[in-house]
Amino acid sequence: MGPLGRETWAQRLGTFRASPSAFMAGPEGEDLGRDLLSDLRSEKLSEPMKVALLALSLEYPAQLWPDAAAAEAAATSLLDTLVLLPPRPSALRRPLLLAATSALAAGGALSPASGASGRLLPLLLGLASGRDLGRSFGPASEQRPLQATAWECLRELESCRPGLLGGCLGLLRALLGREGPAQPLSLLLALALRNALVIQARAGAGLQGLLTAGESSMEGGPWNWTLAEEGEVHLQPQAPSWPAAEEDECGLAALELSPEEARELRATVAQLLDASYLLTPVAQAQLLWLLGWALRGLRGQPPVLFKPQLVRLLGTAQLTLLHAMLSLKAAFGEALFTAQDEALLLRRLTLAAQHPALPLPTHLFYLHCLLNFPENWPLGPTGEEAAPLLLGSQLCRGLLPSLLHEPMALLARLHLLCLLCVEDEEKEGKGQDRSPRHYLEELLAGLRQRAALDGGPRALATLCFQASYLVAHCLAGQPVVLTPLTQGLAQLYRTRPALAPHFVDLLDHVGPELQEPLRVALRQEVVSRPGREEALRWHLQMLARVADGDAQSATLSFLRAAAAHCTDWGLQQALLRVCRALLRAGVGGGLADLLQELARQLEDPDGQDHARLYYILLAHLAGPKLGVTLGPSLAAPALASSLVAENQGFAAALMVQEAPAPIRLSVGPRRAEGAVPVLRLQVEVLEPVYSLELRFRVEGQLYAPLGAVHVPCLCPGRPTRPLLLPLRPRRPAPARLAVRALYSTASGLTCHAHLPPLLVTFADLFLPFPQPPEGAQLDFFEELWDSCLPKGAESRLWCPLGPEGLEALVSRHLEPFVVVAQPPVSYLVAIRLPPDSRLLLRLEAAQADGVPVALRTDAWAALPLAGDYLRGLSAAA
């Protein structure tokens, strides 16, 4: 197959990007990677089109090269294509380097045994160091972009295989001194330095002259994989977070550096930091994180190297740099930040968060920094939430939440207010006016007031419950806050019972400090105020969550009164769910009377059966066994009770079980009639089968979804009518139907089974045309014949005949479709192919051994299928 054209590639790329997984699972997915690599060398495709192909390989390397062998072959082909490029300027060199790197990294083929790795690594290092690699790598104008690309590729490979560039630290350091503060090179050196320190620390070895090894150590000889093989263990990901202290003690703290190595390490770090201000803010943040991580656990490496950067960063307006500075503060604490620095930084964060023109994400970032501010000397146990000591209520007066704020900003400010309430508890005891706690109560009251609006937006109710959960989480140990919160929520439910789902969700997530008093208050609200019919379903939903063994008399009285209004199935089921909750809580005699009343009173048979079942369980099982029986799993405990075992068997009987199929299904003789093709299915059973449902699924997308076929009862030995399965093909083609049976057995079990697939042949789709008027058959056929071209296709073939001749063959297979017949030598046949195609046959001038057949169709894809069908007729004859 030759190279594909630009339009074909554009169509394939569009289809692939629409759904990569579906495309790779289709017929063209297997050849996509091979065609891409092949057409990169084609002279017919333009460079922009080849760049688009390489962009695809950069975005989806795991889909194109799913295993190491495929990735190795792809990288080798890409490197060969790179070498074969002419020496003139080309836009393909950099994408080819990136594509080869991505293939090796994503496919897991980067290893000492990889030939492509052995070719790519020296090439990248040569480009990065500025060595002359010959005219094959383009003119001098391309060398600088190629060098920057090589740095990026090496950084990607070092990220995927830590320690890969450990032997190149001296070379990279020399390049940094020679090239200046190049951003990719600075990040590459910082990453390689950090990985080498971690690997050597875990191996219990020093740097062993890695920082002083020059370029001569990398020339000639194989690549040094020693550190990369030792660094197979998982390293800290490149994210602005720090390892735990215990990791440091057994990690970098174990690294012993000689005085010369310590001096070279400090010089390297200082060299990187001194020129860091020339990098972009994001690159500076990553560089500071990498270097801070490398120095944090090392003995004898003071963080004073970061002090000049700290002076510069304290006034930065870049969020990435501010985050990097806070990361350094979390790492080094008072060793790097004085109390004055901490106060200045905290005040700056507070004032910046109050700026009225801040976008919402930036505002949330500043609030997050305040909520998680790393203090030099935090009070309380590690991990406990608390406001910074220097952050008082006066400083945060402008950060108090308001009902006018955006929901996310309001919740973040509310979180800060809760922390201030904890800090100001003593001041409140001394009678301070307008304390944070009073402000918090007013805010929550305002949120509840908005949530209580009948028909109000759902977002207002959601915000109210989010705020309530946050307060309960932060102030769980303060009853002075939780008591009015409980009362306010109970009042909210009284006003708007439709919020019952929100209350249930809140009860499921809060701690016992709020859960128990709120549950009692809500139960009292429900049972003391029987709601009208529109509120009854919310009361029942709430009572199913809060009902317990307390206040049994009031709860049962409410249920008796509610039963008269439970006229539909949904309300009856909600009422029975409350009864189930009372059963699990151990409620006794009064509930038994109620269940008997429900079994007689409820109109729905399902509700009556449930009430009888609950009454039987209550009458025969003790409290603990009853709770287990009604629990989430009926099969977990093995209890000494025959009724429980029977109940477990009953639950198993209700489950659909997989079983060998006692059903045989086959395709019967077809009848060419009707508007759509219909399969006539013959079914036989080996044992009685009830409520049979046959479900069909077409493999592929050739047919529209098929409906199920239902049979009430089948018994072995009894004749059955054929089952009719209408087909809805999207194009005339044979198909394979997967069949699944769902049925009930004589023992009452519900089973499912997979049956052998059914084949839909090309002939099963044949339908006749309406009968033309008498005498107009020939004109009708000729009109159909002429209408097939030029849009359709035409073909001719020789159809061998058996000893019975043409007349017998047509009579057996094609008689319903014959339009004009001149037996025994000539027949004109018109076949309708769903959904809207046609197949026309001219069988004329028959001879003793065969007949020439002319075919025309307006669906060119059906032509080979028609040829195979006609040849099959002669073979069958």
Side-chain angles (χ1 to χ4, degrees):
M1 181 178 178
L4 303 178
R6 181 180 180 277
E7 293 77 10
T8 305
W9 267 118
Q11 181 180 1
R12 292 183 78 182
L13 295 184
T15 307
F16 177 86
R17 291 181 184 278
S19 179
S21 57
F23 185 92
M24 296 305 293
E28 296 184 352
E30 187 176 349
D31 300 330
L32 179 62
R34 184 180 66 248
D35 294 344
L36 186 150
L37 295 174
S38 174
D39 286 7
L40 283 175
R41 303 185 188 183
S42 171
E43 297 294 334
K44 296 183 179 180
L45 286 183
S46 62
E47 277 200 350
M49 192 66 225
K50 293 180 180 180
V51 170
L53 297 182
L54 290 171
L56 187 76
S57 69
L58 290 175
E59 295 179 44
Y60 303 97
Q63 285 80 4
L64 294 174
W65 338 115
D67 51 50
E72 171 78 11
T76 301
S77 177
L78 291 169
L79 290 174
D80 292 340
T81 304
L82 176 64
V83 173
L84 293 175
L85 289 178
R88 64 175 181 270
S90 173
L92 297 178
R93 289 187 175 85
R94 296 174 64 196
L96 282 170
L97 283 175
L98 293 169
T101 302
S102 299
L104 289 176
L110 191 64
S111 67
S114 166
S117 301
R119 293 175 58 187
L120 179 63
L121 289 172
L123 172 62
L124 292 176
L125 194 62
L127 289 171
S129 60
R131 292 202 298 266
D132 184 12
L133 298 178
R135 297 182 61 195
S136 62
F137 284 91
S141 59
E142 281 193 66
Q143 295 307 309
R144 193 65 181 178
L146 283 174
Q147 187 179 40
T149 302
W151 288 334
E152 294 289 355
C153 292
L154 288 173
R155 185 156 65 101
E156 181 69 21
L157 295 177
E158 174 66 21
S159 301
C160 297
R161 194 70 184 268
L164 183 67
L165 299 176
C168 307
L169 288 175
L171 172 61
L172 296 177
R173 182 184 174 191
L175 284 176
L176 186 64
R178 187 175 70 200
E179 300 289 342
Q183 179 168 298
L185 180 56
S186 298
L187 295 177
L188 174 61
L189 176 57
L191 176 63
L193 177 63
R194 172 255 187 186
N195 289 341
L197 288 172
V198 175
I199 295 171
Q200 292 296 82
R202 293 182 177 178
L207 288 177
Q208 300 176 350
L210 294 176
L211 288 173
T212 57
E215 186 173 352
S216 59
S217 62
M218 298 301 301
E219 293 181 355
W223 190 268
N224 185 0
W225 291 86
T226 305
L227 284 181
E229 291 175 346
E230 294 177 356
E232 287 291 341
V233 293
H234 177 69
L235 294 182
Q236 184 78 7
Q238 291 192 58
S241 57
W242 301 95
E246 54 270 17
E247 287 186 19
D248 289 345
E249 294 176 2
C250 60
L252 291 176
L255 183 63
E256 296 289 345
L257 298 178
S258 66
E260 181 180 357
E261 289 176 339
R263 184 169 56 253
E264 293 295 334
L265 177 60
R266 286 195 296 271
T268 304
V269 173
Q271 183 182 9
L272 287 167
L273 289 175
D274 288 344
S276 63
Y277 69 96
L278 296 173
L279 310 183
T280 63
V282 175
Q284 289 185 57
Q286 188 175 14
L287 181 70
L288 291 171
W289 179 82
L290 287 170
L291 296 180
W293 202 102
L295 293 186
R296 184 189 183 202
L298 285 179
R299 298 176 182 173
Q301 298 297 321
V304 70
L305 293 171
F306 293 98
K307 198 65 176 179
Q309 310 305 319
L310 179 62
V311 173
R312 175 173 64 89
L313 295 177
L314 278 173
T316 182
Q318 296 289 338
L319 300 186
T320 54
L321 295 179
L322 181 59
H323 191 269
M325 181 171 54
L326 290 172
S327 298
L328 290 175
K329 189 176 189 314
F332 299 108
E334 69 280 359
L336 183 59
F337 286 77
T338 64
Q340 291 78 9
D341 295 333
E342 185 176 64
L344 175 62
L345 182 57
L346 196 58
R347 183 173 181 81
R348 184 175 177 275
L349 287 172
T350 306
L351 295 177
Q354 300 176 29
H355 197 288
L358 281 181
L360 180 60
T362 306
H363 179 63
L364 293 176
F365 169 78
Y366 282 119
L367 291 174
H368 177 78
C369 292
L370 288 171
L371 291 170
N372 299 273
F373 188 79
E375 292 184 275
N376 285 349
W377 298 99
L379 298 179
T382 304
E384 183 183 63
E385 275 193 321
L389 294 176
L390 300 178
L391 190 65
S393 56
Q394 293 297 326
L395 185 60
C396 289
R397 186 172 296 276
L399 291 177
L400 294 179
S402 166
L403 296 178
L404 300 178
H405 287 130
E406 292 285 338
M408 295 302 296
L410 186 147
L411 291 174
R413 289 171 174 247
L414 178 62
H415 194 177
L416 184 60
L417 176 60
C418 291
L419 298 182
L420 292 177
C421 288
V422 177
E423 297 296 329
D424 287 4
E425 186 176 1
E426 296 182 0
K427 297 180 181 179
E428 292 178 18
K430 297 177 182 179
Q432 181 189 11
D433 294 333
R434 193 63 175 174
S435 66
R437 182 171 63 83
H438 294 150
Y439 190 92
L440 174 64
E441 292 176 359
E442 293 177 4
L443 176 70
L444 293 175
L447 289 172
R448 290 192 295 267
Q449 186 177 3
R450 294 200 306 177
L453 296 175
D454 193 17
R458 183 179 179 181
L460 296 180
T462 302
L463 179 61
C464 173
F465 283 92
Q466 287 174 333
S468 301
Y469 169 79
L470 184 60
V471 172
H473 173 74
C474 296
L475 303 175
Q478 295 196 21
V480 69
V481 175
L482 297 184
T483 300
L485 176 61
T486 303
Q487 297 171 353
L489 289 173
Q491 175 64 34
L492 174 61
Y493 179 79
R494 183 189 314 155
T495 306
R496 193 178 177 189
L499 297 178
H502 291 276
F503 281 98
V504 172
D505 184 63
L506 180 65
L507 287 170
D508 290 339
H509 289 88
V510 295
E513 296 84 2
L514 178 65
Q515 186 183 73
E516 289 305 315
L518 180 58
R519 185 177 59 81
V520 173
L522 291 174
R523 185 189 63 217
Q524 181 64 26
E525 287 293 332
V526 171
V527 300
S528 62
R529 294 177 175 83
R532 296 163 301 191
E533 291 189 9
E534 58 269 18
L536 181 57
R537 67 188 184 102
W538 303 121
H539 289 331
L540 292 174
Q541 181 178 356
M542 178 58 66
L543 197 56
R545 175 62 180 82
V546 301
D548 58 6
D550 299 331
Q552 297 182 22
S553 177
T555 303
L556 294 175
S557 299
F558 172 83
L559 293 179
R560 283 192 176 89
H565 302 284
C566 294
T567 55
D568 61 60
W569 183 86
L571 286 176
Q572 293 177 15
Q573 292 300 311
L575 178 65
L576 289 167
R577 277 194 289 270
V578 180
C579 295
R580 182 189 181 99
L582 293 174
L583 278 174
R584 296 183 64 185
V587 177
L591 180 60
D593 297 337
L594 174 64
L595 290 173
Q596 287 183 313
E597 294 175 13
L598 294 178
R600 294 189 302 266
Q601 179 180 344
L602 296 180
E603 299 178 359
D604 185 72
D606 186 40
Q608 295 176 4
D609 292 342
H610 273 82
R612 292 191 188 99
L613 174 63
Y614 292 159
Y615 175 76
I616 293 172
L617 294 176
L618 178 61
H620 289 79
L621 294 183
K625 295 181 180 179
L626 185 61
V628 172
T629 304
L630 296 172
S633 175
L634 294 172
L639 299 178
S641 169
S642 60
L643 183 58
V644 174
E646 291 172 4
N647 195 27
Q648 293 175 356
F650 177 68
L654 293 179
M655 298 175 61
V656 179
Q657 304 177 11
E658 187 171 7
I663 303 167
R664 295 175 182 172
L665 196 64
S666 60
V667 179
R670 68 180 186 274
R671 292 183 181 178
E673 57 186 14
V676 296
V678 177
L679 279 188
R680 301 172 63 84
L681 304 178
Q682 303 288 347
V683 58
E684 298 179 6
V685 294
L686 306 178
E687 61 184 52
V689 169
Y690 304 94
S691 301
L692 173 64
E693 179 180 283
L694 296 173
R695 300 176 181 178
F696 303 89
R697 182 176 60 84
V698 185
E699 299 179 3
Q701 302 295 325
L702 297 175
Y703 288 41
L706 303 179
V709 176
H710 299 85
V711 184
C713 176
L714 289 173
C715 294
R718 293 186 183 179
T720 59
R721 294 182 179 180
L723 308 180
L724 304 183
L725 177 64
L727 302 177
R728 295 193 294 166
R730 292 191 172 105
R731 62 186 186 195
R736 185 182 179 96
L737 305 183
V739 187
R740 183 169 174 262
L742 188 68
Y743 59 94
S744 297
T745 65
S747 59
L749 296 178
T750 302
C751 303
H752 74 93
H754 294 277
L755 304 183
L758 298 178
L759 299 180
V760 180
T761 64
F762 183 57
D764 290 331
L765 307 179
F766 289 0
L767 293 173
F769 278 92
Q771 191 68 26
E774 188 67 28
Q777 291 92 336
L778 183 60
D779 294 337
F780 174 73
F781 181 84
E782 293 295 343
E783 183 179 351
L784 291 176
W785 183 265
D786 295 337
S787 67
C788 290
L789 296 181
K791 184 180 68 172
E794 182 177 8
S795 179
R796 295 180 180 273
L797 58 85
W798 176 261
C799 179
L801 296 176
E804 298 181 359
L806 177 62
E807 186 175 4
L809 183 142
V810 171
S811 175
R812 185 178 300 113
H813 300 287
L814 299 174
E815 184 175 6
F817 317 107
V818 174
V819 178
V820 179
Q822 297 178 359
V825 295
S826 177
Y827 295 90
L828 303 182
V829 179
I831 301 172
R832 187 162 59 89
L833 298 175
D836 53 1
S837 303
R838 62 193 61 171
L839 173 64
L840 306 177
L841 307 176
R842 284 183 180 270
L843 295 87
E844 299 176 324
Q847 302 178 19
D849 58 341
V851 58
V853 182
L855 298 86
R856 275 193 186 182
T857 178
D858 56 355
W860 61 268
L863 201 60
L865 298 173
D868 293 341
Y869 169 71
L870 291 174
R871 296 185 189 95
L873 292 184
S874 61

